[in-house]
Amino acid sequence: MFDLPVLNAPAQEASLYAPSDVATQDQAARKLYVETYGCHMNASDSEIVKGVMHSNGYAMTDKPDDADVILLNTCAIRDNAEKKIHERLKHLKFYKRRRQDLIIGVLGCMAERMREELVVQKNIVDLVIGPDEYRALPALVEKAFQGEKGIAVKLSRVETYDDIEPLRTEGISAWISIMRGCDKFCTFCVVPFTRGRERSRAAHLIVDETKRLWDAGFREVSLLGQNVNSYHDETAGTDFADLLRATARAVPEMRIRYTTSHPYDMSDKLIETMAEFENICKYVHLPVQSGSDRVLQAMNRDYTVEHYKERLRKIKEFMPDCALTTDIIVGFPTETEEEHVMTLELMREIRYDGAFMFKYSPRELTKAWKMTDDVAEEVKMRRLNEIIEQQQRIATEINQALVGTIEKVLVEGEGRRDASKWKGRTDTNKFVMFPHLTDEASGKTAGYVVGDIVNVRITKATSMTLVGEVVG
Ligand code: 5AD
Ligand code: SF4
């Protein structure tokens, strides 16, 4: 999982998948604006929040100025993620001054930690709601309009929002949360404390949801969990590989992705299932975190570098063209210079297509919080720069080797800056830009639409992007 840019809630009129029992054009409806920080899981949770509020009569807006209720779905994974929220709240204070009746709420991973500070001391926030309490939102918002502050931060062992229809508002690519929480307790990670214990949704509901998404026009789904490899539907006796197989079979033309895997539980069965189905994307995000066994042990990661490499050999044996990405933390407490060099060497040996790279950030409640954060800031910074620089060089080399090849690209639509350039993604999750040719005189487009898979000949490549032209 990784940091996403802030995602704004698009206007609900654009919805491909709005619950049909609610009048979407209700002029009198109160308007909700949701701003999302952090990982895909949070983006998916925001869709659940919008689903809950929508079925209670709220309209969505993508403009905070128009909103009656502003909700920030927060991330606590690193200190800088939390700082961003504090900055944003300072800014939202001005909105509140302008409009006394505006309701501001903090949702998600920062809720538990910040409840007192946010509600009592700062006086900006009316609601603080944790990731397992979104069903309570409409009632708490209602009370907030009556002047009552609301806090609901209990974590649940069973909540999966199985019966909530997420309000998905754009694109052809949908997230499906298949489980919540995490039981891994990596020593650096706050997620088990902010999101609670691991629990899985029923497999048949996930398969049904995928079918409905196909019928609603979606062409790609990403199955989400903090550690999808430990997904388990107890009633049906289904593990993650079974779920993937059932989903791939049920909707054979839907592209299916998943994230995130844990190297300890990346089973042969899962790898073989991925290889068996053409519609399961050949892309694995497998966070390694460090190239040193000693550091991995201190992180409570439960695998060695050799085990990790053996998993990759299995992946490459079954799927030679499978793309690989990872997460790395530099400067974990006690990490030596030699251990940092081991990480650099491992990354050179594996040659990842991409990596999300972070400086260690101490998090309260975690085991590592009690260790001295003894790698100096400037050393962390230098180590981070070294791995980033090396990774960019490797990713550029890998992508440039694709120049001249023809890739199958799922068309996502116009690029952000230039409407004549369209964007899409390969099965291996590489971002591709290509000119979209429209004949002005005839008004004919290039013969494909958003959601089609087209052949693109790659002409240029950088570490992050492929550029090409549609052929045949
Ligand atoms: N400091 C730095 N990075 C962290 N991650 C999780 N917790 C921390 C932390 N305290 C990184 C890990 C994880 C990714 C989602 O975020 O690399 O895989
Ligand atoms: Fe955090 Fe580890 Fe769970 Fe991932 S597997 S969410 S890093 S505790």
Side-chain angles (χ1 to χ4, degrees):
M1 302 287 253
F2 45 88
D3 284 345
L4 288 170
V6 172
L7 297 166
N8 292 332
Q12 75 171 29
E13 282 71 25
S15 173
L16 277 168
Y17 204 50
S20 53
D21 54 333
V22 176
T24 53
Q25 303 289 337
D26 182 356
Q27 294 302 310
R30 285 195 182 124
K31 290 200 180 114
L32 169 69
Y33 169 78
V34 183
E35 206 165 87
T36 309
Y37 296 80
C39 64
H40 292 118
M41 209 70 197
N42 257 15
S44 168
D45 273 6
S46 287
E47 294 177 343
I48 288 171
V49 164
K50 288 183 215 165
V52 168
M53 295 296 276
H54 190 243
S55 54
N56 276 271
Y58 280 80
M60 304 299 132
T61 174
D62 57 358
K63 297 186 191 74
D65 283 308
D66 289 348
D68 302 291
V69 180
I70 295 180
L71 300 176
L72 304 187
N73 193 0
T74 62
C75 169
I77 195 106
R78 283 170 290 276
D79 187 49
N80 54 8
E82 290 197 358
K83 282 201 178 112
K84 255 191 240 165
I85 302 293
H86 287 294
E87 283 308 308
R88 186 64 176 138
L89 283 172
K90 271 190 217 155
H91 192 231
L92 289 180
K93 215 176 181 171
F94 296 104
Y95 283 72
K96 192 105 177 156
R97 273 198 203 133
R98 261 192 325 218
R99 275 194 49 195
Q100 293 296 319
D101 60 343
L102 174 69
I103 300 300
I104 296 180
V106 167
L107 314 178
C109 289
M110 276 172 76
E112 163 62 34
R113 253 160 64 67
M114 310 308 289
R115 57 180 166 163
E116 201 165 311
E117 188 187 347
L118 289 173
V119 178
V120 182
Q121 296 170 13
K122 294 228 165 133
N123 215 13
I124 310 168
V125 171
D126 304 286
L127 297 167
V128 179
I129 299 176
D132 287 341
E133 297 266 28
Y134 296 145
R135 287 177 199 274
L137 250 171
L140 290 172
V141 170
E142 207 42 59
K143 281 192 184 159
F145 277 117
Q146 317 301 322
E148 206 177 303
K149 297 219 174 215
I151 299 177
V153 293
K154 263 208 218 107
L155 291 170
S156 160
R157 282 182 174 262
V158 291
E159 178 62 271
T160 56
Y161 299 113
D162 250 343
D163 56 321
I164 305 280
E165 197 76 75
L167 184 62
R168 298 181 166 98
T169 41
E170 67 172 15
I172 47 152
S173 199
W175 294 294
I176 303 181
S177 291
I178 62 164
M179 59 201 294
R180 301 183 71 80
C182 181
D183 284 351
K184 282 283 172 190
F185 289 94
C186 301
T187 56
F188 52 79
C189 185
V190 79
V191 167
F193 304 96
T194 59
R195 288 190 159 269
R197 304 310 297 267
E198 182 189 294
R199 62 223 104 113
S200 298
R201 291 179 59 199
H204 70 278
L205 294 177
I206 297 165
V207 172
D208 286 350
E209 191 169 343
T210 310
K211 284 186 194 156
R212 289 201 306 278
L213 286 166
W214 176 265
D215 293 341
F218 287 87
R219 293 296 172 259
E220 181 177 79
V221 293
S222 299
L223 308 183
L224 294 183
Q226 307 294 346
N227 172 20
V228 290
N229 310 126
S230 54
Y231 169 88
H232 192 64
D233 175 343
E234 273 170 35
T235 319
T238 309
D239 67 11
F240 182 60
D242 298 328
L243 172 70
L244 207 52
R245 170 186 295 270
T247 316
R249 269 216 184 115
V251 198
E253 286 182 75
M254 183 77 104
R255 265 192 183 181
I256 298 167
R257 304 186 180 284
Y258 66 87
T259 201
T260 292
S261 294
H262 190 292
Y264 179 81
D265 314 289
M266 182 93 204
S267 67
D268 283 0
K269 182 177 167 190
L270 172 58
I271 296 168
E272 286 159 19
T273 306
M274 283 182 75
E276 190 185 328
F277 288 89
E278 211 184 314
N279 61 329
I280 302 179
C281 291
K282 302 301 175 273
Y283 166 74
V284 176
H285 179 64
L286 199 59
V288 67
Q289 311 296 359
S290 168
S292 146
D293 283 343
R294 192 197 66 84
V295 175
L296 288 176
Q297 198 176 12
M299 289 175 163
N300 191 32
R301 290 290 289 179
D302 276 341
Y303 54 84
T304 59
V305 171
E306 187 43 43
H307 171 87
Y308 183 90
K309 288 203 279 195
E310 190 277 323
R311 291 293 76 199
L312 294 193
R313 281 194 290 273
K314 179 88 186 177
I315 290 171
K316 288 286 179 182
E317 180 195 330
F318 276 78
M319 299 173 285
D321 294 326
C322 186
L324 278 175
T325 58
T326 198
D327 293 343
I328 304 276
I329 297 178
V330 297
F332 185 78
T334 72
E335 184 191 63
T336 64
E337 205 51 37
E338 291 73 44
E339 286 162 342
H340 165 61
V341 170
M342 289 163 98
T343 302
L344 277 165
E345 282 172 0
L346 181 69
M347 293 176 79
R348 263 203 310 277
E349 184 184 335
I350 292 172
R351 292 178 65 80
Y352 289 105
D353 293 81
F356 302 95
M357 296 164 277
F358 312 104
K359 282 186 289 179
Y360 169 68
S361 167
R363 304 281 73 206
E364 227 175 315
L365 302 175
T366 62
K367 264 206 172 154
W369 173 255
K370 297 190 194 89
M371 300 170 77
T372 315
D373 182 20
D374 59 357
V375 180
E377 177 58 27
E378 59 275 18
V379 175
K380 280 186 191 165
M381 200 64 218
R382 194 232 330 128
R383 289 182 187 170
L384 182 65
N385 286 335
E386 283 175 9
I387 61 169
I388 290 176
E389 187 271 321
Q390 174 178 281
Q391 178 53 37
Q392 277 177 345
R393 188 170 46 70
I394 293 169
T396 307
E397 286 167 11
I398 292 174
N399 287 347
Q400 280 182 348
L402 295 173
V403 171
T405 63
I406 292 175
E407 300 291 322
K408 289 203 178 319
V409 173
L410 176 62
V411 179
E412 289 176 9
E414 288 173 7
R416 223 182 290 166
R417 286 194 209 112
D418 176 357
S420 73
K421 298 235 170 50
W422 277 33
K423 62 180 180 179
R425 251 165 227 282
T426 64
D427 159 270
T428 51
N429 210 22
K430 290 182 192 276
F431 184 74
V432 186
M433 299 289 296
F434 48 91
H436 179 70
L437 303 174
T438 314
D439 178 357
E440 299 255 318
S442 67
K444 276 190 186 152
T445 65
Y448 52 82
V449 292
V450 170
D452 284 353
I453 292 182
V454 295
N455 289 323
V456 177
R457 188 196 312 280
I458 305 303
T459 54
K460 259 199 286 184
T462 66
S463 63
M464 302 286 280
T465 311
L466 304 175
V467 179
E469 56 209 11
V470 177
V471 290

